[in-house]
Amino acid sequence: MATESPATRPVQVAEHPRLLKLKEMFNSKFGSIPKFYVRAPGRVNLIGEHVDYCGYSVLPMAIEQDLLIAVEPVKTYTLQLANTNPLYPDFSTSATNIQIDKTKPLWHNYFLCGLKGIQEHFGLSNLTGMNCLVDGNIPPSSGLSSSSALVCCAGLVTLTVLGMNLSKVELAEICAKSERYIGTEGGGMDQSISFLAEEGTAKLIEFSPLRATNVNLPSGAVFVIANSCVEMNKAATSHFNIRVMECRLAAKLLAKYKSLQWNKVLQLEEVQAKLGISLEEMLLVTEDALHPEPYSPEEICRCLGITLEELRTQILSPNTHDVLIFKLYQRAKHVYSEAARVLQFKKICEEAPENMVQLLGELMNQSHMSCRDMYECSCPELDQLVDICRKFGAEGSRLTGAGWGGCTVSIVPADKLISFLANVHKAYYQRSDGSLAPEKQSLFATKPGGGALVFLEA
């Protein structure tokens, strides 16, 4: 798997309504026809929230919703981007001087991240120009990874235009790194599942080195995604990066407490690895080493024996310099307990006991409680939606993705699916005040989809 490149498939465009429509729109936009098409899926994380950037495994699956890009390489050095959705304006720039504005997470900047990542990987100063038309059906800002799908699509587009080859693992690592150009300190789950996904199976994704293991989900249950209709763009706020920094600081304080070389430690997983103890034991160390009351920057400096200037310049990211309190105990408790839940989830899927669906549901419920109470990345609408899903038959329900909005994922016994969908739709989306925009409403059962690939017209 490590050396395998993304698949290239011949396709009869006329037999695929969405591709055919994209081809026709491309022709009317650019006056020519695409040379090839690239697809990258969205994803839903079943369990393992906010642990990838701490070094721990996650358990996502690709979903059927995806991004498609129709592409035509051109002789000029101009990159022209357009989107089938009129909400996203056209964009044009020189392919020889890619500038990414971190202050504005505009849609085209995610494309530029993927392009720049491939350009820098191969050390290229000049890139050929291209015309690209993007079409997506992943609900935006919903925690289903539409942004990362665009980064991955752009990376694969650029690679294909250049006629170069990279493995899926290399592409995932480049795209994970390059998405940070937009200012998000993510961990790599989204890009990994986008390239490594296989139809019919979820994946346990481990990092350093990156590898993916099939996890077979229960046949008697369905995973259902529901959009809370609260949008959250993790690059537009500092919530996400503050959590990354809190975990980094917690790792350093735990390492110092255990007389490790704390200044070399960046992730909570490194502390566990260096101590050689279990996740359960790490929870006990956290209880001993950290206090539940928030830490001020001054207290952190006293604990580590550094100055405020050193804290800001050597540890914190630029958009967290002005944070006044850091909740280190709560964040570490969430990460170590959530990392353990991921491993339990995989073990239950492997052993497949009779009450498998119920056991997986309990882990998902525990995960949501921890996200809500210890990581504080939920919101009232997500909590309400989770309660509604459990009330109408879900064995477990939790927020998925970064949180603060976006979607929930629920495990529902297959025989309850039809009544579940009808009841949840009525209870959450059909509000008497009509406050939820119809275009944002989405509630759907999903099954594990395949990963990123290139289509060539047959």
Side-chain angles (χ1 to χ4, degrees):
M1 182 196 75
T3 56
E4 191 188 335
S5 303
T8 300
R9 284 192 194 155
V11 66
Q12 297 284 352
V13 170
E15 293 171 13
H16 294 268
R18 196 164 149 223
L19 277 178
L20 183 60
K21 190 177 172 194
L22 189 59
K23 181 180 178 178
E24 288 165 354
M25 288 180 81
F26 188 98
N27 192 11
S28 71
K29 182 87 193 167
F30 297 113
S32 52
I33 59 168
K35 190 84 186 284
F36 64 91
Y37 306 82
V38 166
R39 170 198 185 264
R43 64 98 190 96
V44 61
N45 191 24
L46 301 179
I47 199 158
E49 224 56 79
H50 289 281
V51 298
D52 57 344
Y53 54 77
C54 297
Y56 284 110
S57 309
V58 288
L59 215 156
M61 68 181 187
I63 56 175
E64 294 153 281
Q65 285 74 5
D66 58 19
L67 273 179
L68 288 172
I69 305 186
V71 189
E72 177 197 24
V74 291
K75 294 272 192 289
T76 65
Y77 290 110
T78 303
L79 167 69
Q80 291 200 84
L81 289 180
N83 200 304
T84 59
N85 186 334
L87 289 176
Y88 303 114
D90 291 1
F91 176 78
S92 174
T93 188
S94 164
T96 56
N97 183 27
I98 300 298
Q99 301 289 330
I100 297 169
D101 184 353
K102 278 190 181 183
T103 63
K104 294 179 186 151
L106 299 170
W107 80 276
H108 62 256
N109 282 329
Y110 291 98
F111 186 98
L112 297 181
C113 284
L115 184 144
K116 192 176 168 81
I118 298 297
Q119 182 187 20
E120 293 193 343
H121 177 79
F122 288 112
L124 303 172
S125 52
N126 284 346
L127 273 181
T128 180
M130 49 183 140
N131 296 333
C132 298
L133 180 60
V134 178
D135 179 64
N137 57 12
I138 309 166
S141 301
S142 63
L144 300 178
S145 205
S146 57
S147 305
S148 297
L150 182 50
V151 175
C152 293
C153 247
L156 191 50
V157 162
T158 309
L159 191 72
T160 308
V161 166
L162 291 170
M164 304 276 204
N165 257 329
L166 286 171
S167 71
K168 293 177 184 179
V169 166
E170 287 169 317
L171 269 166
E173 289 178 331
I174 291 165
C175 289
K177 201 169 127 197
S178 68
E179 191 164 332
R180 293 175 196 153
Y181 294 135
I182 205 116
T184 307
E185 301 280 335
M189 163 177 58
D190 302 349
Q191 301 81 5
S192 303
I193 191 65
S194 195
F195 286 112
L196 301 173
E198 291 177 65
E199 235 162 280
T201 178
K203 294 276 186 179
L204 178 82
I205 294 182
E206 300 166 272
F207 302 95
S208 305
L210 177 60
R211 57 204 183 278
T213 310
N214 288 355
V215 176
N216 293 320
L217 300 172
S219 55
V222 185
F223 287 91
V224 178
I225 294 169
N227 193 352
S228 71
C229 301
V230 176
E231 289 201 0
M232 162 58 188
N233 184 323
K234 64 188 181 194
T237 68
S238 58
H239 297 318
F240 185 88
N241 283 351
I242 289 170
R243 297 299 185 279
V244 177
M245 290 306 125
E246 286 175 319
C247 291
R248 183 177 294 178
L249 291 167
K252 289 182 181 296
L253 263 68
L254 289 169
K256 179 92 190 289
Y257 178 79
K258 283 295 194 177
S259 306
L260 300 172
Q261 246 191 313
W262 66 266
N263 54 335
K264 297 273 171 68
V265 168
L266 287 174
Q267 295 179 320
L268 286 164
E269 187 276 335
E270 292 172 69
V271 184
Q272 185 200 356
K274 287 179 194 303
L275 294 175
I277 61 177
S278 69
L279 286 161
E280 289 70 24
E281 288 169 305
M282 275 314 306
L283 285 165
L284 298 175
V285 171
T286 302
E287 292 283 350
D288 291 340
L290 303 175
H291 55 67
E293 299 75 29
Y295 286 74
S296 66
E298 292 76 11
E299 184 181 2
I300 289 166
C301 290
R302 283 197 301 277
C303 291
L304 296 177
I306 58 173
T307 65
L308 271 172
E309 183 60 19
E310 286 169 322
L311 175 69
R312 289 195 175 111
T313 56
Q314 293 170 26
I315 300 176
L316 297 178
S317 63
N319 65 353
T320 56
H321 282 183
D322 300 326
V323 177
L324 298 176
I325 60 163
F326 296 95
K327 297 188 178 180
L328 308 188
Y329 168 89
Q330 290 84 348
R331 310 316 183 218
K333 287 266 289 193
H334 166 76
V335 170
Y336 289 130
S337 63
E338 184 78 349
R341 282 187 284 272
V342 171
L343 300 179
Q344 287 170 281
F345 195 101
K346 177 177 181 271
K347 189 165 179 270
I348 291 165
C349 287
E350 285 169 349
E351 293 174 355
E354 293 248 326
N355 59 342
M356 176 181 187
V357 175
Q358 185 192 339
L359 294 173
L360 295 178
E362 282 168 14
L363 288 173
M364 291 170 72
N365 291 337
Q366 289 166 21
S367 172
H368 184 77
M369 278 169 54
S370 184
C371 285
R372 182 191 67 201
D373 301 337
M374 303 308 279
Y375 221 73
E376 296 176 279
C377 62
S378 190
C379 67
E381 294 85 353
L382 281 172
D383 295 338
Q384 183 195 6
L385 189 49
V386 159
D387 289 344
I388 288 169
C389 290
R390 289 181 195 154
K391 178 182 172 185
F392 290 115
E395 288 289 346
S397 187
R398 58 180 293 277
L399 65 82
T400 186
W404 298 286
C407 290
T408 61
V409 60
S410 304
I411 186 169
V412 180
D415 58 357
K416 292 184 182 173
L417 179 63
I418 292 169
S419 64
F420 174 84
L421 292 172
N423 287 325
V424 172
H425 189 269
K426 189 175 177 187
Y428 189 77
Y429 296 108
Q430 292 182 318
R431 294 185 179 178
S432 54
D433 61 357
S435 60
L436 296 176
E439 70 276 7
K440 287 184 191 167
Q441 295 179 24
S442 51
L443 173 70
F444 57 92
T446 190
K447 52 184 189 286
L453 46 82
V454 179
F455 293 119
L456 293 174
E457 192 154 3

